[in-house]
Amino acid sequence: MTTKGQSVFNLDLNDLVEEAFERAGLELRTGYDMRTARRSLNLLTIEWANRGINLWTIEQGQIPMVTGQACYPFPVDTIDLLDQVIRQNNGTSNQIDINISRISESTYSTLPNKLAQGRPIQVWINRQTGQTNPTTVVLTANVSSTATTIDVSNAALLASNGFINLDTETIYYANVSGNQLINCSRGQNGTTAASHLVSTIVYVSNLPSINVWPTPNSPGSQYTFVYYRLRRLQDAGTGVTEQDIPFRFLPCMVSGLAYYIAMKKPEVDPNRVMALKALYEEQFQLAADEDREKAPIRFVPREMFY
């Protein structure tokens, strides 16, 4: 006998949910059953993000540095950064990656001159929610696509610096003076700088971001922030799509979803719920032990003087 010659088995959402219901001793019968299972599945993947690093969600990114700009945004699905460097002469044969140290918010807040310029050597990672919130603040004057000062109705309702959204553009402002947002960096987070009309509503954008120190004294052709980020798992979807996981995590996902569903169904025997939980923990540990770096790690001590 010959083998099939394929290794493509996977479960779409419908099959995954049906398998989880059967493990819980239940039947998938109604549209609400699918809806509640999809909700539980999304909560399950968030739990995985809290348990540790998921290697398949690590992505590399680059941010060209701008002279004098301290703050730069990340994609909204960023959980945290694992590693980061400052790259000089990006894309050339003599590019160099130089270490940049991660510091805490308390350390960053004590820096006396946050706008001092030089080669960035420290970075504070501000892990915001990525949510965008409306305000009662509006523009009091038209804004051109190149303006670096923005007039608003009440700047006291905004933070002293941060990101705002005007229409489809994201803007970073470094300072506030009266009712003006000044030292603005336009077209942030992959958006395009555009003109905006008076009375446009100002939205606050709580983007995950970095603050570097010193601020770059050369543009992105000289300095590039290169990072490896941990992103969120993609949502469960609505039906036929497969999940954003490697095949080795399928048993763990089915077991976890069966446990989540059983907890919500009063007709399931409590002993079965506990058995499903134990199986889920076992399956997760098996998958997590496999999903790890297998290369040796080198630790380099750093001398510090006080």
Side-chain angles (χ1 to χ4, degrees), residues 72-87:
Y72 302 84
F74 289 123
V76 295
D77 62 344
T78 299
I79 297 175
D80 199 0
L81 298 193
L82 300 179
D83 292 289
Q84 57 280 325
V85 296
I86 291 292
R87 177 169 294 171

Side-chain angles (χ1 to χ4, degrees), residues 16-53:
L16 193 151
V17 171
E18 188 170 8
E19 175 71 16
F21 264 81
E22 290 174 354
R23 290 196 183 191
L26 303 167
E27 290 186 16
L28 179 63
R29 294 181 175 178
T30 67
Y32 180 77
D33 285 341
M34 175 62 74
R35 177 181 172 186
T36 189
R38 188 166 63 245
R39 183 170 64 243
S40 293
L41 193 58
N42 285 324
L43 290 172
L44 179 68
T45 56
I46 293 173
E47 179 201 324
W48 288 6
N50 290 332
R51 283 179 179 247
I53 296 173

Side-chain angles (χ1 to χ4, degrees), residues 38-267:
R38 188 166 63 245
R39 183 170 64 243
S40 293
L41 193 58
N42 285 324
L43 290 172
L44 179 68
T45 56
I46 293 173
E47 179 201 324
W48 288 6
N50 290 332
R51 283 179 179 247
I53 296 173
N54 301 314
L55 292 185
W56 72 93
T57 65
I58 298 175
E59 294 181 348
Q60 184 185 19
Q62 299 184 6
I63 302 176
M65 309 251 87
V66 178
T67 302
Q69 182 175 336
C71 187
Y72 302 84
F74 289 123
V76 295
D77 62 344
T78 299
I79 297 175
D80 199 0
L81 298 193
L82 300 179
D83 292 289
Q84 57 280 325
V85 296
I86 291 292
R87 177 169 294 171
Q88 290 184 300
N89 306 314
N90 188 28
T92 67
S93 59
N94 62 336
Q95 74 177 24
I96 302 173
D97 288 349
I98 304 172
N99 181 60
I100 180 170
S101 301
R102 181 170 179 170
I103 60 175
S104 65
E105 176 275 330
S106 58
T107 300
Y108 182 77
S109 67
T110 60
L111 295 174
N113 182 1
K114 296 176 178 57
L115 297 181
Q117 294 190 9
R119 175 176 63 81
I121 60 174
Q122 294 180 318
V123 58
W124 166 47
I125 300 171
N126 189 0
R127 299 172 61 188
Q128 290 295 312
T129 62
Q131 295 177 341
T132 298
N133 303 317
T135 70
T136 58
V137 181
V138 298
L139 299 183
T140 56
N142 293 336
V143 177
S144 71
S145 60
T146 58
T148 58
T149 299
I150 297 175
D151 295 298
V152 297
S153 58
N154 190 354
L157 298 178
L158 303 175
S160 57
N161 62 74
F163 295 94
I164 60 170
N165 276 13
L166 297 178
D167 299 320
T168 59
E169 181 188 0
T170 301
I171 300 170
Y172 172 72
Y173 63 96
N175 305 95
V176 172
S177 177
N179 281 327
Q180 290 185 323
L181 311 181
I182 61 176
N183 299 324
C184 296
S185 299
R186 305 296 300 275
Q188 300 290 294
N189 199 33
T191 61
T192 302
S195 300
H196 307 282
L197 300 177
V198 64
S199 299
T200 298
I201 297 176
V202 176
Y203 289 79
V204 173
S205 190
N206 300 302
L207 293 172
S209 59
I210 56 167
N211 286 70
V212 297
W213 185 88
T215 63
N217 59 357
S218 296
S221 58
Q222 175 70 16
Y223 296 132
T224 304
F225 186 84
V226 181
Y227 61 88
Y228 291 85
R229 74 183 182 109
L230 194 64
R231 64 163 175 83
R232 285 183 56 175
L233 272 69
Q234 296 175 15
D235 295 341
T238 57
V240 298
T241 54
E242 296 173 352
Q243 304 312 299
D244 180 27
I245 60 170
F247 73 94
R248 60 185 177 273
F249 267 80
L250 276 174
C252 172
M253 177 166 277
V254 171
S255 297
L257 183 58
Y259 166 56
Y260 272 44
I261 290 171
M263 284 195 298
K264 297 193 289 186
K265 297 291 187 178
E267 63 268 31

